[in-house]
Amino acid sequence: MILLLSRRTPLATDELKCILESLLFAAEAPLSLDRLCALLDRPKSELKPVLQQMVVDFEQAGHGFHLAEVAGGFQFRTRQDYAPWVRKLSK
C-alpha cells in the first residue's frame, strides 16, 4: 500500500511508520493526531489506522516500551514492568 507524505510525494506504509516512530521518539510530550496530520500533511483517515496498527505491533513485539494513546496524543512509554530500572536513571 502506498500513502502520500504530502499530496505530491508517494510513501509506502512501512516508511510512513518509520517517520511516525521518529517523530514520536523525538517528541518530549505526546503528539496529537491533529499535530501529526499537520506535520505530515495527511488526513486523519490515513494516519489513524496506521497509528492504531503501530500500537498493536509494538504490543505484540514484546519490547521494553510500547506506543500508547495518552493525554490526547501518542507517546512511547516504558512498560510498567521495567519502570524500576528506568527510575535508576534519575538517581
Side-chain angles (χ1 to χ4, degrees), residues 13 23 30 46 54 61-62 64 77-79 81 83-84:
T13 303
L23 292 169
E46 287 188 26
M54 288 172 64
R77 315 275 314 239
T78 301
R79 291 194 186 281
D81 294 347

Side-chain angles (χ1 to χ4, degrees), residues 34-63:
D34 288 337
R35 178 72 173 132
L36 290 167
C37 289
L39 289 167
L40 297 173
D41 190 27
R42 303 308 314 149
K44 290 180 184 180
S45 61
E46 287 188 26
L47 292 189
K48 182 69 172 178
V50 174
L51 287 162
Q52 289 172 328
Q53 185 59 52
M54 288 172 64
V55 169
V56 171
D57 292 346
F58 276 96
E59 187 63 37
Q60 292 176 347
H63 295 289

Side-chain angles (χ1 to χ4, degrees), residues 13-14 16-25 50-69 74-79 82:
T13 303
D14 286 344
L16 177 59
K17 285 181 179 181
C18 289
I19 293 167
L20 288 167
E21 285 175 10
S22 298
L23 292 169
L24 293 164
F25 180 78
V50 174
L51 287 162
Q52 289 172 328
Q53 185 59 52
M54 288 172 64
V55 169
V56 171
D57 292 346
F58 276 96
E59 187 63 37
Q60 292 176 347
H63 295 289
F65 60 92
H66 61 107
L67 180 59
E69 195 167 355
F74 292 86
Q75 184 178 46
F76 285 116
R77 315 275 314 239
T78 301
R79 291 194 186 281
Y82 304 109

